[in-house]
Amino acid sequence: MSTATIAAGLSAVGTKQLFVETAGTGPDVVLVHGLGGTTSFFEPLVASLAERFRVTRYDFNGHGRSPLAGELTLESLAAELAQVIESRTASGRAHLVAHSMGTLIVQQLASTRPDLVEDVVLLGPVREQTQAAKDATRARAALVREQGMAAVADTVAQAATAEQAAIGNPLVRPFVRELLLGQDPEAYAQACEALAAATSPDLAAIRSRVLLLTGSEDKVSTPASNEAMASELGRAELLVAPGTGHWTVPEAPDFVTAAVVDFLTSTTLTPGAKKTCACSNAGPGCQSRRQQAITLQIRKTP
């Protein structure tokens, strides 16, 4: 399929100027990065997705190349995503792929505006933070306001990525560090406060098929927490990327790309079905085509 690329750059979305990139033709997919991310986080995914889909990615308010406009809250970021879908997609409805804090934005939108949402992929999905995590996130906001992004970039890049992934690709941690160092400290601090103030959206209200994909070494979005989220969703599938931390795409680009493309091109997950995956050889009775691209054991959960 030929790929149609629209020049990237700042573009009016509602009352804001957002950095938006679009490539490919086909059904719409919108990519939503997380705290400290940019559109570049999804780079390994885009070429494969753009062969089958019209892919739109954007830097959300105050992040990357999008200037800060107004106060950041989970609700404002969900409204911003709705405007992106309504104004920047061909169909006014999209599959959504999100990472970390971006998964909270997508959960909020999918639970309140199902008319805008097709299938959902949540990478390193998060929910409302514990009180200890809220306190730590607010302390991080105060730190970057006082000392800038350099005060947290190295720590986050080290702690949120897996050692195995960093050894396999020595550029993983420098890449994460560079994303963080490029952020506006005030916008990043506001995003931290928005994350700390966020409450969990109603997962039971989400009608879409949902893929939950996390890393085996992810301390923020643990495999156990993904199991708990799946129990609240109507149609959910879980995957665990081995030797991977919280920055799933740069840490495990082949695994994530194969899983996301297969999920978005498959319609085999029936209502009420849940699949939980560990990282080993696919066994008899496995119903997922994902075993053709990545090695998994899949079992249904009640």
Side-chain angles (χ1 to χ4, degrees), residues 147-158:
Q147 299 182 25
M149 292 304 301
V152 300
D154 287 327
T155 300
V156 173
Q158 184 79 19

Side-chain angles (χ1 to χ4, degrees), residues 90-107:
S91 61
R93 186 174 170 88
H95 301 290
L96 302 179
V97 180
H99 172 243
S100 192
M101 182 178 175
T103 70
L104 263 178
I105 299 169
V106 167
Q107 291 169 54

